[in-house]
Amino acid sequence: MVDGRQLLSGVMIPLVTPMSAPGRPTDVDGLLQALATAGARSLMLFGSNGEGPLLPTSALADFAVRAAARWRELTGGPVLCNVTAAGTAEALERAAAVAAARPDALVLSPPIYFHHREDEVAAHYAAMADLDVPVVAYNAPRYSNPLNPALIDVLVTMPHVVGIKDSSGDLELLDYIVSAARRRPDFGVSQGAEKQLLAALRLGVDGIVPGIANLAPGPAVDLVAAYESGRVADAEEAQRVLDRLLALHSIRPGVPAIKAVLADRGLCPPYVAAPLLACTETERRDLIALLGAEEAHLLTRR
C-alpha cells in the first residue's frame, strides 16, 4: 500500500489546466518545466484550480496522460487526479477516464450538489475500494458536503483511503484530522487553505497544496524548507510573501486571475472553462500592476 504521508509531503501543485480555447486542455510542457525547476514535488490534476468539475469526463484522459508522463520525466514525483463528482457513478467514470495516466492516487471530495447523510458519504468513499488505486479524501466544504469528525474517523479505517487534503480553513478541524491520521502510520494529511499554510505545518500536516503555487512555487517551497529546518523567521516571511501574492484575488477571484498572470509570462493561455470567463484587459493590467513589486517571487519560463 502507498505511504500516504510520503505521498502528500512537501509542496503539491494543484495544477491549472492550460487550454487552447475555452474548455479544451492543451500542452502543459512549459509550465511543468518551470514548476519542476522551482522545486515543486508533486501535482494534483483537475482540482478547483484545474477546473476539473467544469471539464467533461471525455476531456480528462489525454491531458492527464501527457501531464503525468512529463512530470515523471522531469521530477519522478507523484501525480494525483481529482475525480470529484455529484454522484458515485460519475466519480467512477472519471476514475476510469484517468486510469491510463496511472495516477499515484485519486483525490475525491464528498459528493457535490445534494446534501447527503454521513452513511451515504461513507458509501461514496467505500465504492472506490475495488479500483486498486489509493484515494485521498478532499475536504472542500465550499464546494461539497463537509467532512466532519465522525466521517474522518470512518475514512481512517478504510485501507484504500491513504490521506486527507483539507481546504476548510478550520484549524480546529485540521488539528482533529492530524490526530486521527496518526492512528495509522501511513495516513497523510495536506493543507490547501493558503493563508494558513504555516499554521498547518505547525499542527503537523505532511505537506501543503496552495493554488498560488501555480504562479509562485518558490515561496511555498521556501516555506516548507524553512519550517522543516527550524528557521522560524524565514518560514514566517515566506507566509507573508504568499499572503501578499494572494491579493490578486481582490481584483479577480479564482483561476482566471492565475491564468491571466501566467499568460502574461508566456506559461499558460488565459482561456478558462465555461461558464468561467477569462480576465478582461482591465483586470489583466491591474493584476500585472499589483504583482509588479513581487516579480522576484513569480514563476518564469525556463
Side-chain angles (χ1 to χ4, degrees):
M1 178 56 69
V2 169
D3 185 332
R5 298 196 68 177
Q6 176 63 25
L7 181 70
L8 297 182
S9 66
V11 177
M12 179 180 295
I13 307 294
L15 191 70
V16 299
T17 305
M19 298 176 185
S20 60
R24 295 184 183 177
T26 189
D27 178 66
V28 71
D29 187 72
L31 179 56
L32 293 185
Q33 288 189 55
L35 290 168
T37 301
R41 178 182 173 272
S42 54
L43 298 180
M44 181 178 75
L45 307 181
F46 308 129
S48 54
N49 283 276
E51 301 166 78
L54 300 181
L55 294 171
T57 301
S58 60
L60 305 182
D62 288 347
F63 181 82
V65 168
R66 286 186 280 115
R70 185 59 176 139
W71 188 250
R72 289 168 179 143
E73 288 176 1
L74 290 167
T75 70
V79 178
L80 287 66
C81 290
N82 190 331
V83 296
T84 295
T88 304
E90 184 184 353
L92 289 168
E93 288 178 0
R94 295 174 85 83
V98 300
R102 298 181 295 107
D104 294 272
L106 300 173
V107 179
L108 181 67
S109 289
I112 58 178
Y113 192 76
F114 288 110
H115 292 290
H116 288 279
R117 302 183 327 191
E118 289 178 5
D119 57 347
E120 293 172 332
V121 175
H124 186 65
Y125 282 98
M128 305 289 143
D130 294 332
L131 296 181
D132 199 30
V133 183
V135 171
V136 172
Y138 181 10
N139 187 40
R142 287 179 60 193
Y143 308 119
S144 64
N145 287 261
L147 292 179
N148 59 27
L151 279 166
I152 290 160
D153 288 343
V154 171
L155 291 173
V156 171
T157 70
M158 294 184 178
H160 66 290
V161 179
V162 298
I164 294 176
K165 174 187 182 290
D166 179 51
S167 293
S168 69
D170 182 341
L171 291 178
E172 184 176 348
L173 179 65
L174 182 61
D175 188 41
Y176 187 90
I177 293 171
V178 171
S179 296
R182 297 304 170 252
R183 299 171 200 161
R184 277 174 53 184
D186 64 337
F187 199 95
V189 182
S190 63
Q191 154 78 321
E194 294 164 300
K195 290 185 178 268
Q196 297 174 336
L197 300 172
L198 179 54
L201 291 169
R202 286 171 168 158
L203 285 176
V205 302
D206 299 293
I208 58 175
V209 195
I212 196 67
N214 279 283
L215 181 59
V221 171
D222 290 346
L223 172 60
V224 172
Y227 175 78
E228 290 180 345
S229 62
R231 293 181 284 114
V232 175
D234 290 343
E236 291 174 344
E237 174 58 22
Q239 179 69 70
R240 284 192 290 269
V241 169
L242 291 167
D243 288 347
R244 293 198 302 269
L245 292 168
L246 289 166
L248 90 169
H249 295 303
S250 66
I251 294 172
R252 175 67 186 273
V255 70
I258 298 288
K259 282 190 169 179
V261 180
L262 287 172
D264 187 72
R265 307 180 77 77
L267 288 163
C268 175
Y271 305 114
V272 290
L276 290 176
L277 295 173
C279 286
T280 65
E281 179 58 22
T282 297
E283 288 170 334
R284 188 195 70 80
R285 287 198 304 266
D286 289 347
L287 287 165
I288 301 310
L290 174 72
L291 295 178
E294 307 297 338
E295 174 66 28
H297 303 297
L298 300 181
L299 198 63
T300 57
R301 179 183 286 278
R302 300 294 176 182

